[in-house]
Amino acid sequence: MPDLALFDFDGTLTTRETFPDFMRYAVARPRLLAGSVLLAPVVFGYRRGWIGGNPTRASIVQVGLRGVEAARVHALGATFARDILPGVLRPDAMARLAWHRERGDRVIVVSGGLDAYLLPWCEAQGVELACSVLAERNGRITGYAGAQCVGDEKVRRVHALCDRTTYAAIHAYGDTHEDHAMLAMAHHKTYRGHALA
């Protein structure tokens, strides 16, 4: 039987968080400037630990992308995946992903990042994806579709995609507290590049 390999994206496969990079890339400059002022108290609260990651990201998406044409956001996501993401990938982590793929393991990127840029990137890599999804109505972005793919939601997404009992072993790779639940379900855990017992 093949193994199952679960990779967080930001900070695990990449050298930094890509969600802020994408928002700066995709949001029109006037809106970006206005949003930086409007969201300053939220960002300050997040950095001080007063506001959690989920409400912070939800606020950023609302201010930055709500009402924007979905087709434009996804087109920018595809360009971002092609032109920007290769410059922030960790060679060692990408080598590990390739090792799993080449030995026939099932590889799933499980990320709180957005589908707009992660889906085209994962398709290009030949791996599966479970991530936070942007909702749209009448062709325009409205916010997040359902729960953000962090914490316990990562485990729920994995369970929705596959029966973990059908794999010889599960490998999980993460770098923050939002990955702890996913790491807990694995036989082989790697946190910030180091194997855990």
Side-chain angles (χ1 to χ4, degrees):
M1 293 189 297
D3 288 356
L4 176 65
L6 308 171
F7 285 86
D8 169 58
F9 190 74
D10 284 349
T12 299
L13 290 172
T14 68
T15 57
R16 63 174 185 261
E17 296 291 314
T18 59
F19 172 79
D21 289 349
F22 177 70
M23 295 303 293
R24 285 189 291 270
Y25 183 85
V27 177
R29 184 165 179 77
R31 192 168 183 167
L32 189 65
L33 292 173
S36 66
V37 174
L38 185 63
L39 290 168
V42 175
V43 173
F44 179 77
Y46 171 72
R47 289 176 176 164
R48 295 300 295 267
W50 301 335
I51 301 175
N54 281 13
T56 300
R57 286 185 293 265
S59 297
I60 292 170
V61 166
Q62 283 287 315
V63 171
L65 298 178
R66 185 176 178 84
V68 179
E69 289 184 4
R72 179 178 182 277
V73 173
H74 288 286
L76 287 167
T79 305
F80 182 82
R82 184 191 68 220
D83 297 343
I84 306 299
L85 289 182
V88 297
L89 296 173
R90 292 184 182 276
D92 56 337
M94 288 301 297
R96 188 66 177 177
L97 185 148
W99 178 79
H100 280 291
R101 190 176 53 209
E102 289 163 7
R103 69 197 292 260
D105 294 338
R106 184 175 182 180
V107 179
I108 306 174
V109 171
V110 189
S111 172
L114 300 175
D115 61 329
Y117 56 91
L118 286 177
L119 184 57
W121 186 84
C122 285
E123 288 176 344
Q125 299 298 317
V127 299
E128 296 178 66
L129 173 65
C131 71
S132 299
V133 176
L134 289 171
E136 59 182 90
R137 185 170 59 247
N138 299 324
R140 295 187 177 273
I141 300 297
T142 59
Y144 280 103
Q148 295 175 39
C149 188
V150 298
D152 291 339
E153 182 65 17
K154 289 197 172 195
V155 175
R156 285 190 285 272
R157 298 290 185 91
V158 171
H159 286 164
L161 283 174
C162 56
D163 177 0
R164 63 182 182 173
T165 64
T166 62
Y167 297 95
I170 300 173
H171 307 254
Y173 303 82
D175 77 304
T176 72
H177 69 280
E178 293 184 334
D179 301 316
H180 287 173
M182 182 176 75
L183 290 167
M185 68 186 289
H187 303 99
H188 307 285
K189 317 170 197 341
T190 300
Y191 186 71
R192 297 182 178 176
H194 300 286
L196 301 179

